[in-house]
Each structure stands twice: as structure tokens, then as C-alpha cells.
Amino acid sequence: MIGNRIDLAFSGDLTDPWVAALHEAIRGLSPRILGAELPEDGAAGPTPSVLVLHRGTLSVTEADRLRRLRDSDRAPRVILVVGPHARYHQIMAWSGLVDVVLPEATASETIARHVGQPGPPRSVPPRARPIALACGHWELGRMVEDTLREAGYAPRRARDNPLLGPEPWVVWDVPVLDPDWSTRLATAAQRRGVIALLGLADRETVAKARASGAIACLDLPCDPDDLIFVLDRLTASRRAAAPRRDASHPHRPRSFDRQPRVRTQ
């Protein structure tokens, strides 16, 4: 940290719109841009306290550079955002060198939390923010409902129908294997804010969900803290209301392919 500012650096290919969206999500923290690859030792200037890396593939050469950086006297906290072409054995090899591994399709929703930016102040108690939960899987629905209640929300369970209920917000476990899921999402998004929980959440699926009107997309399995971070951001204002969207107009994706989720603390 520098004063009250996070000493943050970002490395990724900013010509890729998904990487640019990831950077945009933390641009207010003024990250230092390191380019698409980690520079040679010492060439990037002072070591940051937090380093965000987006990588489509994971190379041995960069792993060695990162290992030396982590072995230095001022090792940074490292957040790795991985693309769909990274292999499981590569992710496992890198996981010991980083603090958090996030999949790229949904990382922009939660990257601010992982770099250390605090969530919005809870000026409105969560119980004053009505929210519905639509989930066709009993066990998953129970876990999400418990997460919401532990965070102070008072969710109302509505099985697998994102339209049911008067609440302005709904957390929906989207059945992405159903051919009409995007139509159902678009219909729900006309009257309430839809936070979409997506299995197989690659770029295509997230882009389709956003084009259908989802105001946020998270992967499954979903980190409970990520879900609450997103909900607090969307519902924190006393006058917050779910936006009404014209689902006929696509929305540009903000930057989980069902890659294995690896987190180390």
C-alpha cells in the first residue's frame, strides 16, 4: 500500500477486449501497466504490493520469473486470471506461485475484491434489500440461500423460475443446458435485475447472458464472498432499483469456462 492507495500492477494483453474489461474494473486504483508479459528481473521497476496477471497460456519461462519475484524480499500478492487454453497441469504448477486463480470470463465482477478494494458501505441493511433466489438444484440452492442469510440478506426461494416474486433482484442458477435459457433470462431482465450463476461460464456463455440482460455473471462453483461482494455493490444504495433493460440490444461483456477453480490463501 502507498498511503491509502493500493500499490497495484497489471500485466495482460490490453488489445483483447476481455483483458481490457478486466483492467477497466480496477482502473480507478491506477494500476501500473507491465505489458503482456512479465519483464525480466528488475526491468519493471519497484515490486508492487499486488500483481494482477491475465494469461491465456502459462509458460515455464514466466513461471520461473514469477518464482524469483515471489522469493524476493518484497514478494507481492499475485492474482492470476486464466484463459480457456491453460491446461490443468499448468494451472496446478502455477497455483503454488500465486494467491488466487480466477477464470477470465467472470473475473471482472470480483477482481476489485481480490486486489483489496473494499466493498461499498452497508448504509442500508441487507434485510431491507429484497432478493429472490431461483435454483432448480436443491443442494446448491440451500448453500446459496445459507450464504445470503449469513451475509444478512433475507432471500426468498423460488425454485427455477427467475420471474416469480415481487423482488427487484434475483440470483438465478441458469440452466445453461436448456436451449431457451437466454430467452428466459431476457424475459426476467425486463422487470428485475438478474445475477446469473453460470456453469460452463466461458466467454461465449457470459457474453450471451449479458446480451440477454444479466447485470452480473458469476461462475459455478461460486465463491460465497464473491457473490456477496457483487450483491452489495449492486444493491447498496438506499434508492437502488433493478434496471429495466431492453434485452433486444446486446451489452458488451465486462471482463468460468469450467476450468478447475484453484485458490490458495
Side-chain angles (χ1 to χ4, degrees):
M1 305 284 289
I2 300 178
N4 293 322
R5 182 171 66 85
I6 298 171
D7 181 16
L8 177 63
F10 182 93
S11 174
D13 180 8
L14 290 173
T15 64
D16 181 332
W18 289 78
V19 181
L22 180 68
H23 171 257
E24 179 68 19
I26 54 175
R27 188 167 61 89
L29 300 175
S30 303
R32 179 161 33 111
I33 305 300
L34 300 183
E37 293 185 1
L38 279 177
E40 294 287 349
D41 298 355
T47 302
S49 60
V50 182
L51 174 62
V52 176
L53 303 174
H54 176 282
R55 293 295 181 269
T57 58
L58 302 174
S59 73
V60 174
T61 299
E62 271 208 304
D64 289 340
R65 291 180 187 174
L66 184 58
R67 186 174 292 104
R68 290 194 293 271
L69 184 62
R70 295 283 281 185
D71 288 340
S72 66
D73 293 336
R74 190 169 177 259
R77 172 175 169 80
V78 180
I79 299 155
L80 174 64
V81 181
V82 293
H85 302 298
R87 302 302 183 192
Y88 178 78
H89 71 276
Q90 295 172 326
I91 295 174
M92 293 306 296
W94 275 61
S95 65
L97 303 174
V98 303
D99 297 279
V100 180
V101 178
L102 300 174
E104 66 172 10
T106 57
S108 65
E109 299 283 8
T110 61
I111 187 66
R113 181 180 85 83
H114 291 285
V115 301
Q117 184 177 22
R122 287 187 162 194
S123 57
V124 181
R127 289 190 183 280
R129 310 173 202 173
I131 189 165
L133 169 61
C135 183
H137 297 87
W138 185 87
E139 186 64 24
L140 175 62
R142 185 184 63 81
M143 289 189 293
V144 175
E145 187 173 9
D146 288 346
T147 293
L148 295 174
R149 291 191 188 282
E150 288 173 6
Y153 288 87
R156 185 190 58 80
R157 185 81 176 272
R159 297 195 62 181
D160 186 26
N161 190 337
L163 283 169
L164 290 180
E167 296 85 0
W169 311 92
V170 60
V171 177
W172 186 28
D173 169 27
V174 180
V176 293
L177 297 181
D178 290 355
D180 65 341
W181 69 265
S182 60
T183 301
R184 293 176 64 194
L185 197 160
T187 302
Q190 291 300 300
R191 58 177 296 268
R192 70 200 321 184
V194 181
I195 297 91
L197 305 183
L198 302 166
L200 306 174
D202 55 11
R203 290 188 180 196
E204 181 180 359
T205 306
V206 170
K208 188 175 183 179
R210 288 200 169 278
S212 299
I215 58 172
C217 297
L218 291 172
D219 58 297
L220 286 174
C222 177
D223 184 319
D225 290 336
D226 283 347
L227 175 59
I228 299 306
F229 179 84
V230 169
L231 283 175
D232 282 354
R233 184 186 71 215
L234 293 171
T235 67
S237 171
R238 182 172 296 278
R239 290 191 291 269
R244 303 298 190 267
R245 289 188 168 183
D246 180 355
S248 66
H249 292 80
H251 302 275
R252 288 180 61 84
R254 293 189 313 167
S255 333
F256 229 131
D257 166 288
R258 209 164 178 78
Q259 295 277 1
R261 189 177 189 83
V262 182
R263 295 181 186 274
T264 60
Q265 298 298 336

